[in-house]
Amino acid sequence: MAGGHAAFNPEPVADFVDAAVLGDGEEVVLAITEVVREWKTEGRPGGRDGLLLRLAASGGVYVPRFYDVDYLPDGRIRAVAPNRDGVPWRIHKHTVMDLDSWPYPKNPLVPLAETVHERYSVEIFRGCTRGCRFCQAGMITRPVRERSITTIGDMVQGGIERSGLDEVGLLSLSSADHSEIGAIAKGLADRYDGTNVSLSLPSTRVDAFNVTLADELSRNGRRSGLTFAPEGGSERLRKVINKMVTEDDLIRTVATAYSHGWRQVKLYFMCGLPTETDEDVMQIGELAKRVIETGREVSGRRDIRCTVSIGGFVPKPHTPFQWAGQLDHETTDARLAKLRESVRSDKRYARAIGFRYHDGKPGTIEGLLSRGDRRVGRVIEAVWRDGGRFDGWSEHFSYERWAVACERELAREPVDLDWYTTRDRDVDEVLPWDHLDAGLDRDWLWEDWQDALDPDGAVEVEDCRWTPCFDCGVCPQMDTEIQIGPTGKQLLPLSVV
Ligand code: SF4
């Protein structure tokens, strides 16, 4: 059984899994267990298929073998339809509506070896309604549901006691957006003042950063680097992706950070976003130079650093960009080489700006897996038979192996690697995941895609946490609602002083 975010398009692995579950696992795993238990008690009627049929009929589990995919002569999908009675046409995601009832993990496993993220992670809320158009995580986990400050405090306390870890990560898609993040950070910093326990947030939105928060988080620890993700180099492109951050916002934020003692800022960007030109990507370099300039000015020091990290954009199912053609890897590489050259050749900044990016080829294969259909399963199998393992690690990844497998396995189909990746889709095309329901209204997604492409400049969408609902469809479809604080509660000291 597969789950997690990638299960929102499990079609490329449909031949290798019995079932996929969409959305939050906490409650549905119990419902599944119940079905399995009943089936066993009754003497396993129908064998494996009998059990899968029961799970499929429950409406909450997608069993690919009970659906037939029919193709048009040009390779697009004509229809996906159930091939058994009692199996629903659409499968819906699960949404847990009270995260406080699920304060897990309570007893985290502690590995014997040192791991990369050696910290106790507490998910402080789920979902994000900022509406970044590239972001699958934000789209498929709507609506926003916060954990309360008191549950977070209890989870941190229990997690530290039971695991022995001394770093706590307060995780979510945009942690500084929690309605009580200030009180949470201060409360935890007070509780663990003078101990070895340190707190961290993942990357912070430029517009949500504030010094008090950053100070609280670094009270017990080092003042390490700060990470922001403007994602798009130019203001125009940030509007296209609905990341409402201006260059001035960013400069103001980094100025605050540098003047309060931070020396390092890390900035994340993407290359290959829809409508992007060379010029948009070159703006990343200009922005980084302005960041360094500002840092030197406000701190009066020369040892200011800015690391620019760039990933290739891969269009994802269930997002407004699901219809977009992906940029080919040759153009991605050429654009990034040009940017690197312009940063390196400017002696005033070359040593202060770190530059990290990967070549575009892995992104093309990610694109194949991201929006592929069942025919891609043959390619995956061929790569595996040819020795492909751990392809996410660059030292094991072979683009050639994938390209050859695509050519061989798709030779009799009217489709190929380009067809899956660089091709624009239109509104009428049946997408491989259209029968899997993340709650988002398809028409809304399409309109949002058109808003991104508006020739008069992209139209932006606000965050429905603080503005009226803009009808993305999730809440009525899933019978859910936004749950945010503030609760007004405080974290009390752990022991009476
Ligand atoms: S349905 Fe409305 S309130 Fe709910 S997530 Fe979508 S836009 Fe926000």
Side-chain angles (χ1 to χ4, degrees):
M1 269 198 185
H5 289 188
F8 277 81
N9 177 24
E11 292 303 88
V13 293
D15 292 343
F16 318 130
V17 297
D18 282 318
V21 178
L22 313 183
D24 302 334
E26 287 93 336
E27 290 166 342
V28 70
V29 78
L30 297 180
I32 291 170
T33 312
E34 198 51 50
V35 173
V36 176
R37 193 202 318 253
E38 263 173 35
W39 170 79
K40 281 186 178 170
T41 317
E42 289 169 27
R44 306 175 187 241
R48 194 187 195 94
D49 256 25
L51 172 60
L52 291 175
L53 201 52
R54 286 182 186 204
L55 289 172
S58 73
V61 179
Y62 174 50
V63 181
R65 74 178 67 173
F66 297 150
Y67 294 79
D68 287 334
V69 184
D70 190 16
Y71 299 97
L72 293 163
D74 65 6
R76 290 178 302 153
I77 294 173
R78 187 196 308 274
V80 179
N83 55 25
R84 305 274 177 117
D85 287 341
V87 175
W89 282 79
R90 269 167 84 72
I91 301 89
H92 310 291
K93 78 164 179 184
H94 300 267
T95 310
V96 168
M97 279 314 292
D98 182 10
L99 285 187
D100 278 349
S101 314
W102 297 92
Y104 294 93
K106 279 186 177 166
N107 295 304
L109 292 177
V110 181
L112 291 169
E114 192 179 351
T115 57
V116 179
H117 294 291
E118 202 163 52
R119 61 172 91 103
Y120 179 64
S121 298
V122 179
E123 187 188 24
I124 63 172
F125 67 87
R126 201 169 288 176
C128 177
T129 37
R130 288 280 194 169
C132 302
R133 294 182 169 120
F134 56 84
C135 181
Q136 186 193 42
M139 292 290 163
I140 62 177
T141 59
R142 291 169 177 220
V144 171
R145 291 146 288 149
E146 287 186 354
R147 254 193 188 117
S148 68
I149 177 169
T150 37
T151 304
I152 294 168
D154 293 347
M155 286 178 73
V156 171
Q157 185 189 353
I160 290 173
E161 277 169 9
R162 291 187 201 109
S163 68
L165 296 170
D166 54 16
E167 190 184 334
V168 177
L170 302 174
L171 306 192
S172 71
L173 293 176
S174 175
S175 291
D177 281 340
H178 191 291
S179 62
E180 288 180 298
I181 189 65
I184 293 169
K186 177 166 187 323
L188 290 174
D190 284 347
R191 274 188 173 182
Y192 298 102
D193 201 8
T195 70
N196 287 333
V197 174
S198 65
L199 303 168
S200 68
L201 290 192
S203 78
T204 315
R205 281 186 64 96
V206 171
D207 43 0
F209 173 82
N210 72 65
V211 166
T212 325
L213 176 60
D215 275 341
E216 294 297 6
L217 291 169
S218 59
R219 216 195 287 176
N220 271 351
R222 290 173 301 122
R223 193 158 278 210
S224 53
L226 287 170
T227 306
F228 300 107
E231 316 282 6
S234 68
E235 209 131 320
R236 184 196 72 79
L237 202 56
R238 285 195 292 275
K239 281 195 168 141
V240 171
I241 63 179
N242 203 44
K243 191 102 191 182
M244 292 190 273
V245 170
T246 64
E247 186 163 332
D248 289 342
D249 287 339
L250 179 72
I251 296 300
R252 212 172 307 130
T253 300
V254 295
T256 317
Y258 285 127
S259 62
H260 282 77
W262 277 271
R263 298 275 165 267
Q264 282 245 34
V265 168
K266 201 189 273 180
L267 302 176
Y268 280 127
F269 294 93
M270 280 188 281
C271 176
L273 289 161
T275 77
E276 179 187 282
T277 62
D278 284 12
E279 187 41 41
D280 293 309
V281 172
M282 298 305 278
Q283 289 282 320
I284 296 175
E286 297 312 310
L287 200 55
K289 289 176 193 172
R290 248 191 101 185
V291 164
I292 295 292
E293 202 55 62
T294 309
R296 286 175 181 163
E297 221 173 273
V298 297
S299 69
R301 300 172 62 123
R302 297 289 294 174
D303 62 344
I304 296 300
R305 295 263 314 155
C306 169
T307 304
V308 170
S309 215
I310 308 181
F313 166 63
V314 178
K316 302 285 184 348
H318 304 283
T319 66
F321 288 173
Q322 64 181 354
W323 289 280
Q326 188 179 344
L327 192 66
D328 61 86
H329 61 83
E330 291 91 349
T331 316
T332 305
D333 290 346
R335 244 172 226 174
L336 291 177
K338 212 168 152 186
L339 170 62
R340 187 190 186 88
E341 187 44 41
S342 104
V343 174
R344 285 282 145 85
S345 61
D346 194 333
K347 293 281 174 278
R348 290 168 302 164
Y349 306 103
R351 291 164 66 90
I353 300 175
F355 195 58
R356 288 209 197 119
Y357 73 93
H358 298 291
D359 73 291
K361 282 178 174 168
T364 299
I365 303 307
E366 284 173 28
L368 171 74
L369 301 176
S370 163
R371 291 190 294 174
D373 52 40
R374 288 191 187 182
R375 294 168 291 191
V376 171
R378 280 180 251 152
V379 178
I380 298 174
E381 184 173 344
V383 167
W384 180 76
R385 289 197 183 283
D386 192 33
R389 302 285 188 281
F390 296 111
D391 277 75
W393 296 354
S394 53
E395 66 270 39
H396 290 286
F397 176 73
S398 159
Y399 179 78
E400 275 58 46
R401 188 186 276 143
W402 282 92
V404 168
C406 280
E407 251 170 57
R408 211 172 45 216
E409 300 301 322
L410 302 173
R412 291 203 197 140
E413 306 283 349
V415 303
D416 58 16
L417 181 54
D418 272 351
W419 187 89
Y420 281 110
T421 51
T422 57
R423 181 178 62 97
D424 272 317
R425 280 74 163 158
D426 69 34
V427 66
D428 301 323
E429 178 166 346
V430 177
L431 302 171
W433 52 89
D434 274 348
H435 56 300
L436 305 177
D437 182 16
L440 297 148
D441 185 60
R442 200 181 196 272
D443 293 338
W444 179 81
L445 282 176
W446 177 262
E447 276 167 32
D448 203 41
W449 170 224
Q450 298 309 302
D451 281 348
L453 299 177
D454 196 319
D456 298 327
V459 183
E460 291 162 296
V461 187
E462 298 275 349
D463 188 326
C464 61
R465 251 173 302 191
W466 307 300
T467 60
C469 164
F470 47 74
D471 292 327
C472 79
V474 170
C475 291
Q477 174 70 10
M478 297 287 144
D479 195 17
T480 53
E481 60 188 1
I482 287 190
Q483 278 179 354
I484 53 171
T487 60
K489 293 192 178 142
Q490 301 280 324
L491 288 181
L492 300 173
L494 286 178
S495 49
V496 182
V497 182

